[in-house]
Amino acid sequence: MAARILYFGRDTCHRLPVLVRAGYAVVNCTSLEELCASLESAPTPRAVLMADNNPRAAQQGIALLRSRSPVPLILFRDSYRVLAEAPFDLIIPTLTPPAQWLAEIASLLAQCCLPAPAVRPRRASLRLHPKSPALPLQPSQSPLRNAPESTRNAPAAAQPFVPLTLRSPIP
């Protein structure tokens, strides 16, 4: 059976057909009422995806989702609008290739696949670094979703420092 995923908001970048072709059963929720009904209907969704093209609707969707379900929440960055990153389990930067974000979503769903959501341990946030989308942070290196702002970018204590190779600027 295909994993059921909810997409909240307008699909301005045509991600829904890509998700369907990848084998997901996608329900497009264009309103809070549809999102609420889809969260309560069977089968339970495996994740909720949304874009930041409407920050007010996104904030309302986040509040509704977090009050009713422990499923992973994935944000597609479509703009440079300010939207708190803390509630999200995966943030996909603008212009990330579909093959990469599909792999990241599959990885997150595999990590969150436990039979009893009530006993699931708190997930570490998976984030694709916006300046280097090809190098996702590993869960052991990622800050916890509820970590204080001052410690979010601090490296994990047990992890050795590995410098990134940066591309030289184009003249």
Side-chain angles (χ1 to χ4, degrees):
M1 183 175 178
R4 183 171 177 251
I5 293 179
L6 306 181
Y7 189 95
F8 177 63
R10 292 180 302 135
D11 181 25
T12 57
C13 293
H14 308 289
R15 294 181 182 106
L16 297 181
V18 174
L19 289 161
V20 170
R21 279 194 305 272
Y24 294 103
V26 182
V27 177
N28 189 14
C29 304
T30 58
S31 68
L32 287 172
E33 292 78 19
E34 289 178 5
L35 179 61
C36 183
S38 295
L39 285 170
E40 294 174 354
S41 66
T44 303
R46 296 281 310 278
V48 174
L49 290 70
M50 67 175 59
D52 63 356
N53 50 29
N54 184 343
R56 182 179 173 148
Q59 291 294 349
Q60 293 171 339
I62 292 166
L64 175 69
L65 174 69
R66 291 299 181 213
S67 69
R68 297 184 184 229
S69 177
V71 301
L73 181 57
I74 300 167
L75 174 68
F76 284 100
R77 283 279 186 204
D78 281 350
S79 68
Y80 294 102
R81 292 186 172 105
V82 176
L83 189 62
E85 294 182 352
F88 297 99
D89 298 290
L90 176 64
I91 296 175
I92 301 169
T94 305
L95 302 178
T96 301
Q100 186 176 352
W101 57 257
L102 284 170
E104 290 295 325
I105 290 171
S107 174
L108 178 64
L109 295 182
Q111 291 175 9
C112 297
C113 184
L114 293 177
V119 298
R120 181 179 4 194
R122 190 160 261 199
R123 297 178 298 272
S125 296
L126 295 174
R127 304 227 190 273
L128 292 176
H129 192 280
K131 293 182 183 172
S132 159
L135 300 171
L137 294 176
Q138 298 301 315
S140 62
Q141 296 170 328
S142 298
L144 291 177
R145 179 174 48 214
N146 294 327
E149 188 70 32
S150 62
T151 62
R152 285 201 183 135
N153 293 326
Q159 298 297 321
F161 176 76
V162 178
L164 295 175
T165 303
L166 300 176
R167 295 182 190 160
S168 60
I170 299 173

